[in-house]
Amino acid sequence: ISFLTQKTSITETATMKSQVITISNPGPSAFYQLVMCIAVVISAMLITVQFSEHIWMGHPFLTTPVLIIIAIGLSLYAILIISYRYNESKEMFGVVLASGIILMGLVNVSVSNIIVFNINLLIFGNIASHILPYLSPVQKKSYSYWLRSLSQYRSLIHLWIKYQILSRYSQTFLGILWIIIQPLATSLILAVGFSQLFGSQIEDDVPFVSFFLSGLTFWNFFHTYVLAGSDLLASSIDLQIRVYFPREILVLVHLGKSLIEFLFTLVSMIIVNLLFGIFPNIYWLYLPILVLIQCVLMTGFVLYLSVISVYIRDIPRLTGVVLQLLFYLTPLIYPIIIWPDALEKYFQLNPIAMLVNAYRNVLLYHQAPDMVSLHSAVVIGIWSLMAGYIFLKTNESQISDYR
């Protein structure tokens, strides 16, 4: 009886402590709610601007007071739905006004603009409602806690990336030089082969080899990273069972290894371009920004695919099929201008195609990239990265059960 009484008192004490802990961990503050609301509106605006300038549907309307009232009304309806997900946050009133101001600021406001704006407002608002609870810095399951824990493994990430690079090319005669030789040889063979089909010049007196390599180099980076990353967690379950470490380390190590190999391939492409008379220019300063956008977009995809493939083992094969289809829908071996005008605008729906065009503008045509065409890549990349990280961390404890 004494033992049972003691056990009951311990249980009650533990229950009281858990209740205290729950009460002492409040949800996200009004500041985080307001920031997230503004991020939702800005994201919807960026997609709407890209839609307005590149994927036009319908005819522009004059910015009349009646149209503005309709726009604010639709925005109010959309934001009220989002505010219900946000536990009816009062900060939504400012977002309603911001929505009306943004719509008035669009150059060509049309009914299609309003529809696209509010559809994106609902989509990103729904995503933000799932991200918002993890922004509280006092909770254990939050971005700040996860990132602080991840920072303790910096040395492990560095050593693991170094091991991945050296072990892959160990016991080979040329060693690490294969990082340059293998992709360069493959690219040159494909470039020479397709040049017989399309001719030595492609457009604006740009050699076809340089045109093809400027797209294939960045496509191979995307293809290799996403395809191998889709099976990243499922193929390393045995390692995860033996020792604990944050599972996102696998994604970061894979990104670091792929990025190093990509940089060597980029140097090879630059050497080939020099041989064909294409020299560096001031617009190459945009390259780090474009690579960063691509890394964010790819990592967001990999975070989702790697977790889903643990439960559904067909995902890596399905990813390979989708990437193969995407290869032909991306202007790698042909310029986008060969398509009819009615179909050319639909390439704007492919963020990888827009990235490839941006790379070519910088490398070959001595032009600044069209930043409006990259709105979808930036917005989709940031939201998928944030939501994918939560998706990984919330399923982290269950991955080892699917051996």
Side-chain angles (χ1 to χ4, degrees):
I1 295 174
S2 175
F3 171 77
L4 293 177
T5 305
Q6 183 179 5
K7 186 176 180 181
T8 304
S9 62
I10 292 175
T11 304
E12 292 176 353
T13 304
T15 304
M16 293 176 62
K17 288 183 178 180
S18 63
Q19 292 176 354
V20 171
I21 292 174
T22 303
I23 295 174
S24 62
N25 284 345
S29 63
F31 172 76
Y32 288 109
Q33 296 182 29
L34 181 59
V35 169
M36 200 52 109
C37 293
I38 294 175
V40 169
V41 174
I42 292 177
S43 300
M45 180 216 34
L46 291 176
I47 298 296
T48 306
V49 169
Q50 182 179 357
F51 169 85
S52 176
E53 294 193 11
H54 296 284
I55 317 173
W56 187 248
M57 294 174 59
H59 300 284
F61 283 47
L62 294 177
T63 314
T64 60
V66 176
L67 181 61
I68 298 303
I69 294 174
I70 295 175
I72 295 178
L74 290 174
S75 300
L76 176 61
Y77 172 74
I79 292 175
L80 285 176
I81 296 178
I82 300 171
S83 64
Y84 176 76
R85 302 283 302 184
Y86 282 140
N87 298 322
E88 300 180 357
S89 171
K90 296 180 180 180
E91 288 77 13
M92 281 300 180
F93 178 75
V95 183
V96 174
L97 297 180
S99 302
I101 294 173
I102 288 173
L103 284 173
M104 286 190 295
L106 295 175
V107 178
N108 294 317
V109 179
S110 67
V111 175
S112 58
N113 288 139
I114 300 174
I115 294 174
V116 170
F117 180 82
N118 287 280
I119 289 176
N120 284 281
L121 204 64
L122 290 172
I123 292 174
F124 295 123
N126 186 60
I127 297 174
S129 65
H130 292 86
I131 295 176
L132 189 60
Y134 297 92
L135 295 179
S136 178
V138 298
Q139 290 185 357
K140 188 173 181 180
K141 290 185 177 181
S142 64
Y143 280 106
S144 58
Y145 176 80
W146 291 332
L147 294 177
R148 285 196 305 268
S149 301
L150 183 62
S151 64
Q152 301 175 4
Y153 294 86
R154 294 190 302 270
S155 299
L156 174 62
I157 297 173
H158 173 74
L159 292 176
W160 205 339
I161 293 174
K162 183 178 179 180
Y163 169 77
Q164 289 283 339
I165 295 295
L166 296 179
S167 62
R168 181 176 180 180
Y169 301 99
S170 62
Q171 298 181 352
T172 58
F173 181 73
L174 296 178
I176 203 170
L177 290 177
W178 280 111
I179 295 181
I180 300 177
I181 297 174
Q182 185 175 1
L184 181 61
T186 304
S187 301
L188 286 177
I189 292 173
L190 292 174
V192 172
F194 281 113
S195 64
Q196 301 300 318
L197 178 64
F198 291 97
S200 59
Q201 306 290 330
I202 189 70
E203 60 177 356
D204 297 333
D205 296 329
V206 173
F208 180 81
V209 173
S210 298
F211 177 86
F212 183 64
L213 288 180
S214 62
L216 187 65
T217 300
F218 301 96
W219 167 260
N220 283 339
F221 179 37
F222 173 80
H223 178 273
T224 304
Y225 179 70
V226 174
L227 184 60
S230 62
D231 194 37
L232 200 59
L233 297 177
S235 61
S236 60
I237 291 182
D238 292 336
L239 176 62
Q240 300 175 47
I241 294 176
R242 292 191 182 96
V243 60
Y244 171 77
F245 55 90
R247 303 300 183 252
E248 60 268 27
I249 288 181
L250 293 170
V251 179
L252 293 177
V253 170
H254 181 52
L255 176 62
K257 178 179 70 70
S258 302
L259 189 59
I260 291 174
E261 294 179 348
F262 161 72
L263 292 177
F264 278 99
T265 309
L266 182 62
V267 172
S268 305
M269 183 204 67
I270 292 174
I271 294 174
V272 173
N273 286 344
L274 292 176
L275 296 177
F276 283 90
I278 298 178
F279 300 98
N281 58 83
I282 189 63
Y283 296 104
W284 282 29
L285 295 176
Y286 284 101
L287 282 178
I289 300 176
L290 297 178
V291 173
L292 177 61
I293 294 173
Q294 183 174 349
C295 288
V296 171
L297 182 65
M298 296 188 308
T299 305
F301 292 160
V302 167
L303 287 173
Y304 272 108
L305 293 174
S306 61
V307 176
I308 297 175
S309 65
V310 174
Y311 307 108
I312 306 175
R313 297 303 173 95
D314 297 330
I315 293 299
R317 295 178 177 84
L318 180 61
T319 302
V321 173
V322 173
L323 289 175
Q324 186 175 6
L325 177 63
L326 194 61
F327 174 83
Y328 295 103
L329 294 179
T330 304
L332 299 174
I333 60 177
Y334 55 85
I336 196 173
I337 60 175
I338 69 172
W339 288 87
D341 295 337
L343 297 177
E344 184 178 342
K345 63 182 180 180
Y346 292 106
F347 275 91
Q348 303 287 335
L349 300 175
N350 181 4
I352 304 301
M354 297 301 97
L355 276 171
V356 169
N357 281 341
Y359 283 123
R360 282 183 174 144
N361 287 337
V362 170
L363 293 170
L364 303 180
Y365 303 120
H366 298 189
Q367 299 175 1
D370 183 6
M371 301 307 295
V372 175
S373 65
L374 298 177
H375 284 177
S376 59
V378 173
V379 172
I380 295 173
I382 293 176
W383 284 106
S384 62
L385 180 63
M386 296 179 65
Y389 190 39
I390 294 176
F391 186 62
L392 171 63
K393 297 303 291 185
T394 52
N395 290 273
E396 186 178 37
S397 59
Q398 305 175 10
I399 293 176
S400 58
D401 297 335
Y402 289 82
R403 184 176 181 180

